[in-house]
Amino acid sequence: MPTLTPNIENRVRKLAKPSNAAQGLQPLFEAVSNSVYAVEDRFEKEVGKGKISISVTSLSSPDKIEIVVSDNGIGLDTNRYEAFCTIDTDFKRAKGGKGVGRLFWLDAFKEIIVESVYNTTNGRSRRVFSFVLNNKEQIRPSVEDQPAAALSIGTTITFRGLRTQEYADTFPKRADTFLRYFSAHFIADFLMGDGPTIEVDLDGDLTTYPQAVADLTVGKPLKADSFELKGFGNFSIIGFTCRAEASTGLDGKHQLHLLANGRTVETRKVDNLLGVTNLERNSERDLVFHGCVSGEYLDARVNEGRTAFNLTEKTLNQISRGCMEKVRTTLLPAQVEAYVKERQANYQSFVSRYPTFGFDDDETQLERVPFHATTAEEFAAGLVKYQIRREEDRQDALQTLIEALDLERVPANFQQIVIDAAKGIQASEQLALAQHVVRRKLALELLEKLIKRIRTRDGKDDDHHLEKTLHSFIVPMGVRGDNPKEIKSRAHELWIVDERLAFTRAFASDKRLDAILAKGGSADRPDLLLWDLAYGLGVTESDELDSVNVSEPLRTVMIVEFKKPGRTSYPAAEDQLENQITKYLAQLQGGEIESFDRTRVRVAHDCIFHCYVVADIIGDLKQQLSNWETTANGQGRIRPLKNQYRGSIEVIQWQDLVNDAWMRNNATLRAAGLSRSRPTLTTGLPPHSEVSREQAFEPAGK
């Protein structure tokens, strides 16, 4: 009767081709696994007596490479030899063998020679054969059942030359890369430590396993008794805490090795599932976790090459999550508890910097973000959708209230609904205002440090650089705020100078007057010139913003000059503040400022100029201002402009500028109805305030 004839060449051609180093090494992994099985068959419970050696020469040359895998296992006796000669044999089915691993050899290597010594009923025998890719004759014996009483039992397989370009491209060419992938593939077996000794000789450089991996473990293995995952049956886990080198070559730090029939099939990064950033054990820090998972469900669902599971990614994720939950609760409870406390502290620090995300209690918010979340970005990414939903729900509720007012009959509980809605709006605004206060606090702290640094560095090389930095922090230098393409002009902190300037765009910072004025103007560059009253200083002709006509002449302009903190010398005539300011005014009064869009705005002849100089009143400047009036706080100086100019020049001390800004920030805090009681969110106050800058607050009623 006719039978089906196997086409080995076609079968090998259809095998999945390697696309990375791990897959390129798969044929060698198959050979090593076969040697492990042979050792187990011979020594059974004394498998520790087994020895496997792997010798690799000419690793960097795909054409010349030679790999010799030797073991002292049971050898290819009659039954095992027949199984070797049978494709898809079920000889090793009990161990998960599919009988196709050696087909990968044919796909990868040009030449394969097998030599084996084994016991028979008549004594010890030896056989040698070539294994070739051919449809008619794959096994070509050169020695068959030859007596070999003097030889040791075991099998040696020699592989020479990589056959296909796919294997030539992906097979590791460096010793460290080879060892990295070899260790990663068998690490679960090595961690278990109950297998044979394996020696890897890479062009004379020897590495011994499992000792090389055992040296990386810290403490005893952690075992989880058999536990059930709903829908997947029973599993067991053996966990190891290892030094970081154990994860070299693997994706991530913490690993979960999924085994089938005692062999690693897939290793999955579980950093996010474990959550713990670094483990600590036996006084060693920065350790990593490796868990080895076994279960009948996995044994029954591995592919024929034992390179992957016949399971969806969703299923593998479910199994991994369930196993890691067991690891957290059973194997590493102390480390996880410490991590949870640190994570809570990180979250509270996050909310202190970004109060708008503190719209629910800490426990609720932490449950909404992934367990591995510990950074500001990770917390924000997990909470932003809840923040959006919360705001949308509030807006929907308000819209419902508005629509209810159009109904013929208003609900009886309408008053309470309005009260609740108002509370929700207030809570939302308080959080937003808290965010505003915190951001300004950081800005003011930086400003103070800059001023202090400039004073202490007086006369040093970085003096000028720091002075420019101070100016640029308050408002970027060399820009016009009305230039829509000048993005950096929007990142100013002009509220420090005057709260009304928080959103102004009509200013010129360190720009020449001849570049600002439509006609005339000199190369003089005021530190800061502001002119658009609608955004900066209020409305000229009307209290209604919409009534502003930009063609009307400007009747209020602000000029700000910054003098270096700590400066004591003002010797020249041009250093006289009044001379410097009136030089600017002479060019501005009656002139036309040309905005970036070419719109011209005339400066009225009766324009009021608010001129401010920010400086330390010491040295020459103190003498220069000795006949000026003092300001209300007794620290600054002020003088009205004379003759044809209207307005004033006010000299503000740097510390007063900062203190006033601190006070306004505190006023914002109080206006929001925030109480100072929680040590996770700090706000800033001036040093002489009755409340310290370090005192904390939280939204009232939270």
Side-chain angles (χ1 to χ4, degrees):
M1 177 177 286
T3 60
L4 295 175
T5 302
N7 186 325
I8 298 301
E9 290 185 23
N10 194 45
R11 178 75 180 276
V12 169
R13 182 175 59 82
K14 291 182 178 180
L15 289 174
K17 305 307 176 191
S19 59
N20 54 52
Q23 295 171 358
L25 284 166
Q26 189 60 39
L28 174 61
F29 296 158
E30 292 290 339
V32 174
S33 294
N34 286 347
S35 291
V36 172
Y37 291 145
V39 166
E40 291 173 347
D41 285 348
R42 179 181 179 187
F43 295 105
E44 296 180 347
K45 294 183 179 180
E46 296 180 301
V47 71
K49 294 181 179 179
K51 296 185 182 298
I52 300 171
S53 66
I54 304 163
S55 175
V56 183
T57 55
S58 301
L59 177 62
S60 61
S61 177
D63 290 331
K64 298 179 181 179
I65 189 171
E66 179 177 279
I67 304 174
V68 179
V69 180
S70 301
D71 65 65
N72 63 347
I74 199 166
L76 288 174
D77 57 21
T78 301
N79 291 337
R80 289 171 175 79
Y81 181 58
E82 288 179 357
F84 186 96
C85 296
T86 304
I87 298 300
D88 297 321
T89 177
D90 60 0
F91 183 79
K92 291 184 288 186
R93 168 171 271 178
K95 295 182 178 181
K98 305 292 185 178
V100 297
R102 58 200 175 283
L103 295 184
F104 286 97
W105 303 353
L106 294 174
D107 196 24
F109 298 103
K110 295 178 181 178
E111 183 180 359
I112 305 167
I113 299 173
V114 180
E115 179 179 358
S116 187
V117 178
Y118 49 91
N119 283 327
T120 69
T121 55
N122 298 321
R124 194 166 295 179
S125 295
R126 170 175 174 261
R127 62 165 44 96
V128 181
F129 60 88
S130 297
F131 187 39
V132 298
L133 180 58
N134 187 293
N135 277 337
K136 295 183 179 180
E137 188 181 31
Q138 297 85 41
I139 310 295
R140 296 179 179 176
S142 56
V143 175
E144 189 72 32
D145 286 332
Q146 182 185 75
L151 299 179
S152 300
I153 293 176
T155 300
T156 299
I157 307 171
T158 302
F159 304 101
R160 295 192 181 100
L162 294 172
R163 192 178 70 83
T164 66
Q165 192 61 42
E166 291 91 345
Y167 279 98
D169 290 341
T170 58
F171 204 90
K173 297 175 179 59
R174 290 166 47 101
D176 57 343
T177 306
F178 182 100
L179 287 174
R180 210 163 54 234
Y181 283 96
F182 185 85
S183 299
H185 183 81
F186 290 104
I187 190 168
D189 307 83
F190 296 148
L191 286 171
M192 298 294 220
D194 55 359
T197 299
I198 300 179
E199 292 184 343
V200 179
D201 185 337
L202 296 173
D203 288 320
D205 189 6
L206 190 67
T207 303
T208 303
Y209 296 95
Q211 191 59 44
V213 170
D215 290 342
L216 298 177
T217 61
V218 177
K220 295 181 179 180
L222 308 165
K223 296 184 179 181
D225 295 333
S226 179
F227 62 95
E228 183 179 1
L229 290 181
K230 188 175 181 180
F232 304 112
N234 292 328
F235 289 83
S236 62
I237 301 176
I238 299 180
F240 302 86
T241 48
C242 309
R243 298 180 181 91
E245 297 92 314
S247 294
T248 301
L250 297 171
D251 181 23
K253 297 172 60 174
H254 307 301
Q255 311 294 330
L256 193 66
H257 307 283
L258 303 181
L259 281 58
N261 305 106
R263 285 181 52 187
T264 303
V265 175
E266 183 172 329
T267 295
R268 301 176 72 85
K269 177 180 75 172
V270 289
D271 295 18
N272 291 351
L273 295 178
L274 182 59
V276 182
T277 307
N278 294 304
L279 295 175
E280 181 177 355
R281 195 175 186 195
N282 294 355
S283 300
E284 287 200 48
R285 296 179 58 83
D286 299 331
L287 302 178
V288 298
F289 174 81
H290 282 254
C292 302
V293 178
S294 302
E296 292 182 2
Y297 187 88
L298 296 177
D299 293 344
R301 291 165 176 82
V302 65
N303 68 7
E304 66 174 7
R306 284 175 293 184
T307 59
F309 292 103
N310 297 319
L311 295 169
T312 64
E313 182 64 18
K314 179 180 179 181
T315 297
L316 290 170
N317 282 335
Q318 287 177 313
I319 293 173
S320 299
R321 283 195 296 269
C323 290
M324 290 310 298
E325 176 64 25
K326 188 69 174 179
V327 168
R328 292 197 302 267
T329 57
T330 304
L331 302 188
L332 301 170
Q335 291 92 330
V336 171
E337 181 180 0
Y339 166 77
V340 167
K341 290 181 179 178
E342 181 182 2
R343 179 171 178 258
Q344 289 173 336
N346 289 342
Y347 171 76
Q348 291 173 348
S349 176
F350 159 71
V351 174
S352 74
R353 294 175 65 87
Y354 305 98
T356 52
F357 287 96
F359 52 85
D360 259 328
D361 62 87
D362 291 358
E363 184 177 352
T364 299
Q365 297 294 69
L366 283 169
E367 288 178 353
R368 287 170 169 167
V369 299
F371 187 68
H372 69 271
T374 58
T375 67
E377 287 189 4
E378 290 169 340
F379 288 135
L383 292 174
V384 68
K385 63 181 179 182
Y386 296 99
Q387 187 182 47
I388 292 173
R389 290 173 188 171
R390 176 174 173 270
E391 293 304 319
E392 287 183 343
D393 289 345
R394 180 166 292 121
Q395 291 184 31
D396 290 344
L398 290 173
Q399 186 62 42
T400 301
L401 284 174
I402 293 170
E403 293 171 355
L405 291 172
D406 293 329
L407 298 176
E408 185 176 342
R409 296 187 61 185
V410 175
N413 63 340
F414 188 73
Q415 180 181 1
Q416 187 60 46
I417 295 174
V418 172
I419 292 173
D420 293 341
K423 287 181 178 178
I425 294 172
Q426 184 183 37
S428 180
E429 289 179 345
Q430 285 177 340
L431 290 173
L433 201 52
Q435 181 75 60
H436 178 73
V437 170
V438 169
R439 195 200 69 78
R440 287 192 168 190
K441 170 187 178 292
L442 296 175
L444 289 170
E445 287 177 346
L446 176 57
L447 178 65
E448 283 194 309
K449 285 192 175 293
L450 273 171
I451 294 171
K452 181 179 180 180
R453 172 77 181 210
I454 293 171
R455 285 174 178 153
T456 58
R457 294 288 297 174
D458 184 35
K460 303 298 191 300
D461 292 340
D462 63 356
D463 240 13
H464 181 62
H465 170 69
L466 287 173
E467 186 179 357
K468 291 175 64 177
T469 301
L470 178 60
H471 183 149
S472 297
F473 173 74
I474 296 174
V475 58
M477 295 180 68
V479 301
R480 289 187 58 151
D482 58 349
N483 181 356
K485 296 182 180 179
E486 188 65 77
I487 302 299
K488 67 178 181 179
S489 69
R490 302 174 189 173
H492 64 68
E493 306 289 349
L494 287 175
W495 58 271
I496 292 172
V497 176
D498 190 309
E499 198 70 39
R500 294 170 295 176
L501 305 179
F503 303 105
T504 188
R505 292 284 174 265
F507 64 84
S509 173
D510 195 45
K511 297 288 284 186
R512 291 165 56 119
L513 285 172
D514 57 9
I516 300 169
L517 296 173
K519 294 180 182 179
S522 68
D524 294 323
R525 297 185 299 180
D527 284 345
L528 179 61
L529 175 66
L530 299 108
W531 63 84
D532 191 335
L533 309 189
Y535 293 95
L537 301 173
V539 180
T540 55
E541 302 295 335
S542 169
D543 291 336
E544 294 296 329
L545 198 63
D546 292 340
S547 68
V548 175
N549 185 343
V550 293
S551 65
E552 294 179 354
L554 287 171
R555 301 193 183 279
T556 307
V557 169
M558 176 185 283
I559 298 174
V560 181
E561 279 293 312
F562 301 114
K563 302 300 182 182
K564 188 180 76 171
R567 178 177 173 179
T568 60
S569 178
Y570 295 82
E574 57 267 23
D575 289 327
Q576 299 295 312
L577 298 188
E578 196 164 4
N579 292 343
Q580 183 181 16
I581 295 298
T582 54
K583 190 176 181 181
Y584 297 152
L585 302 185
Q587 299 174 66
L588 289 169
Q589 190 176 54
E592 287 185 321
I593 295 175
E594 186 174 67
S595 65
F596 194 80
D597 62 0
R598 302 303 182 186
T599 300
R600 294 184 180 186
V601 185
R602 185 169 63 85
V603 180
H605 283 284
D606 58 351
C607 178
I608 299 175
F609 293 99
H610 298 279
C611 307
Y612 298 96
V613 179
V614 185
D616 284 340
I617 304 177
I618 55 177
D620 292 347
L621 188 59
K622 185 175 182 179
Q623 178 62 34
Q624 182 186 144
L625 304 178
S626 59
N627 62 343
W628 289 36
E629 295 288 334
T630 58
T631 55
N633 67 358
Q635 301 298 315
R637 303 290 187 271
I638 190 168
R639 166 173 285 187
L641 290 169
K642 299 176 181 178
N643 302 323
Q644 72 266 34
Y645 304 119
R646 299 179 62 193
S648 62
I649 305 174
E650 183 176 349
V651 182
I652 303 169
Q653 300 231 51
W654 276 107
Q655 193 57 56
D656 288 333
L657 182 78
V658 176
N659 286 349
D660 286 346
W662 277 115
M663 290 300 294
R664 292 197 304 273
N665 208 41
N666 184 43
T668 304
L669 181 153
R670 294 180 183 277
L674 303 174
S675 61
R676 297 178 301 282
S677 59
R678 184 177 177 182
T680 59
L681 184 60
T682 58
T683 187
L685 303 173
H688 51 70
S689 172
E690 72 280 4
V691 183
S692 128
R693 291 181 188 172
E694 314 316 327
Q695 274 189 284
F697 68 87
E698 67 176 358
K702 179 182 175 185

